[in-house]
Amino acid sequence: MLKAAVITSGGDASGVNAAIRMMISVDLDYIGYHGGFEGIVNETPFSFTKEDLISWYNSGDLFLRSGRTDLMKTETGPLQVKQALMEQQVDVLIVFGGDGSAKGALKLKESGVNVIHVPMTIDNDVEGTDYTIGHKTAVEYIQQQIIRLRQTGRNLGGRVFIMETFGGMSGQLTLASGIAGNADILLLPEYDFSINDIAARISQEKQAGRDSVIILCTESAFQPDEYKNGDQGVISKISEELEPLLGERIRQSIPGYTQRCGDPNMEDQLCAARLGDFVRKKLEEETYSFMAGWKDGSPCAVPLENVRKKEGLDEELAQAAKYQHLIPGERRDSDE
C-alpha cells in the first residue's frame, strides 16, 4: 500500500481540514507532520485516518500545524526533506500552502520526490488557480467588520474610518472584501494614488450625503516599494498625512491576524472538500507533480512549473470597482 505524507506550510487559513479529510483514500496510508517543511526534518510523523479528522472538519484550528521556514531556500534543504521522507518510506508528499510553498514543492519534484501542492492562502494570489483555501472565509470576516463600521458610522454620523487588511503585495483580498462589504474607497498596491486623491474621494462621498466614509487599505498599499513582509500600521501614516487636509480625525481599525483564523464558512468548506476529493482521485491514479488548482468553477491539475505569485487583480472585480469610483489613482506601470 502506498504511503502519503501531508503538511501545511506558511500562513494559516480556514478550510484545510475538510480538504485533508476528503482526500483520504482507502488505498493509501497517511502520515502527517506538524511545522511544515521543517517539521519533516525535525518532527516525528504520526499516522491518521479519516476518523481522526471528524472533530476537526469544521474547525479553524489546523489538524496539522503550519510553519514558516527558509529551509527550502537553502542548497541542502530539499535533500534533507527528501532523505527524511525516504526514511519513512513515503511515496508522495501533499503540501498545503501559498506560492512560496509551491516553490518548495517544485524543488522537491526536481530532486525526485513525488509531490502535490494544494493552494492555501487568504490572499488568493497564486497563479494558475481562481481559488485558494481560506480566502472566502477571510473575505466574509472582513465584510462583517466593514458592516459593523458602517453601523457605528450611522450611530455617530460624519466619521471617516480606515481599516487595514492583509494581502502582502496583492490587493485581491482587499478588493473582494471591499466590494462584498460595500466600502467606499479601496487603497490597493496595484494602483498609484496620492493623499490628495484620497482626500478628494472623501469629499466626494460626503458631498453625496454619506453619513460615514469607510476606506479599506491593503497593508502594502502606501509606498509599496518600502513594504516588507509582516509590516503593519500603514494606515497610521496615511491618517497622519490625511487629517490636516480634511481637518478631522480618521478612525483606524486593524483586524490583523484575526483575518487568518476562525471556522471556515460554507463556501470554503465546499471548495476545499472538492479540492481534497480531486487530490484523492489523482492519488489513486498515482498521478503526481501538480497543483490542485481551481478554474471555471471546478478543480484542475496545474503543472508545478507554472505556479508562482499572481500578478495583478481579478480584472472583472477591478473594472467594476474602478467604474464605481472605489479605487483612486491609476494602475502602476500602466499606460492607462
Side-chain angles (χ1 to χ4, degrees):
M1 184 175 286
L2 295 177
K3 180 185 283 189
V6 188
I7 62 170
T8 56
S9 173
D12 53 329
S14 300
V16 180
N17 297 338
I20 296 175
R21 160 66 183 87
M22 294 300 290
M23 78 181 189
I24 293 178
S25 167
V26 295
D27 297 324
L28 275 78
D29 286 330
Y30 293 83
I31 62 172
Y33 294 87
H34 292 305
F37 288 110
E38 197 160 309
I40 297 174
V41 176
N42 297 325
E43 301 291 331
T44 302
F46 61 93
S47 298
F48 65 89
T49 66
K50 65 179 181 181
E51 284 74 21
D52 296 311
L53 272 298
I54 297 300
S55 61
W56 294 82
Y57 189 83
N58 295 301
S59 175
D61 293 322
L62 296 184
F63 177 70
L64 298 173
R65 292 193 304 274
S66 193
R68 293 192 186 279
T69 181
D70 289 329
L71 178 67
M72 299 304 290
K73 298 178 182 179
T74 67
E75 185 176 345
T76 60
L79 296 178
Q80 289 178 266
V81 171
K82 178 180 179 180
Q83 182 61 35
L85 293 172
M86 290 176 61
E87 290 173 1
Q88 294 295 325
Q89 298 181 314
V90 169
D91 297 292
V92 56
L93 172 68
I94 297 111
V95 179
F96 287 85
D99 67 286
S101 301
K103 291 176 183 176
L106 178 59
K107 286 188 176 182
L108 289 176
K109 176 200 170 183
E110 292 170 346
S111 70
V113 176
N114 292 324
V115 62
I116 296 172
H117 175 250
V118 186
M120 174 196 80
T121 169
I122 67 169
D123 299 340
N124 199 22
D125 61 348
V126 178
E127 189 66 56
T129 183
D130 297 332
Y131 163 75
T132 60
I133 294 174
H135 175 68
K136 295 176 183 293
T137 300
V139 167
E140 184 178 89
Y141 174 80
I142 298 168
Q143 174 201 41
Q144 291 300 314
Q145 306 314 302
I146 298 170
I147 290 171
R148 293 180 184 191
L149 287 179
R150 186 71 74 192
Q151 289 173 344
T152 193
R154 282 195 292 268
N155 296 337
L156 290 162
R159 293 188 170 185
V160 178
F161 301 95
I162 185 168
M163 184 165 71
E164 183 174 314
T165 65
F166 275 171
M169 289 296 292
S170 171
Q172 186 58 40
L173 178 64
T174 308
L175 175 62
S177 303
I179 291 177
N182 192 31
D184 301 302
I185 301 171
L186 306 179
L187 305 182
L188 311 174
E190 292 83 0
Y191 282 80
D192 189 12
F193 58 86
S194 68
I195 295 297
N196 287 333
D197 289 334
I198 306 172
R201 285 290 298 112
I202 292 172
S203 297
Q204 290 170 6
E205 291 297 324
K206 290 200 168 188
Q207 289 170 8
R210 288 278 191 181
D211 51 15
S212 64
V213 178
I214 298 176
I215 306 166
L216 205 59
C217 176
T218 308
E219 58 190 338
S220 65
F222 191 51
Q223 300 172 335
D225 292 340
E226 300 178 13
Y227 172 78
K228 297 181 180 60
N229 286 337
D231 285 354
Q232 292 186 72
V234 64
I235 59 175
S236 295
K237 300 176 183 178
I238 293 175
S239 298
E240 184 179 337
E241 295 189 27
L242 194 55
E243 287 175 347
L245 294 178
L246 297 177
E248 64 177 292
R249 175 185 165 196
I250 310 296
R251 270 73 178 183
Q252 303 173 31
S253 181
I254 303 180
Y257 288 90
T258 61
Q259 298 166 78
R260 285 212 311 236
C261 58
D263 295 341
N265 66 11
M266 176 272 292
E267 285 190 285
D268 257 326
Q269 285 292 84
L270 285 176
C271 292
R274 288 181 64 187
L275 282 181
D277 187 62
F278 179 76
V279 171
R280 174 191 63 79
K281 294 172 184 175
K282 295 298 183 182
L283 288 171
E284 290 174 347
E285 296 170 1
E286 297 185 30
T287 300
Y288 313 125
S289 301
F290 67 91
M291 177 183 74
W294 189 277
K295 283 290 183 183
D296 300 322
S298 297
C300 62
V302 180
L304 281 175
E305 291 81 3
N306 296 349
V307 182
R308 59 189 183 277
K309 183 175 285 293
K310 185 181 292 182
E311 300 292 337
L313 300 163
D314 180 307
E315 276 304 309
E316 184 179 355
L317 283 182
Q319 290 176 16
K322 194 65 179 174
Y323 181 83
Q324 297 296 335
H325 306 292
L326 301 179
I327 305 175
E330 297 298 330
R331 286 283 184 95
R332 297 182 187 276
D333 301 322
S334 172
D335 294 327
E336 295 177 2

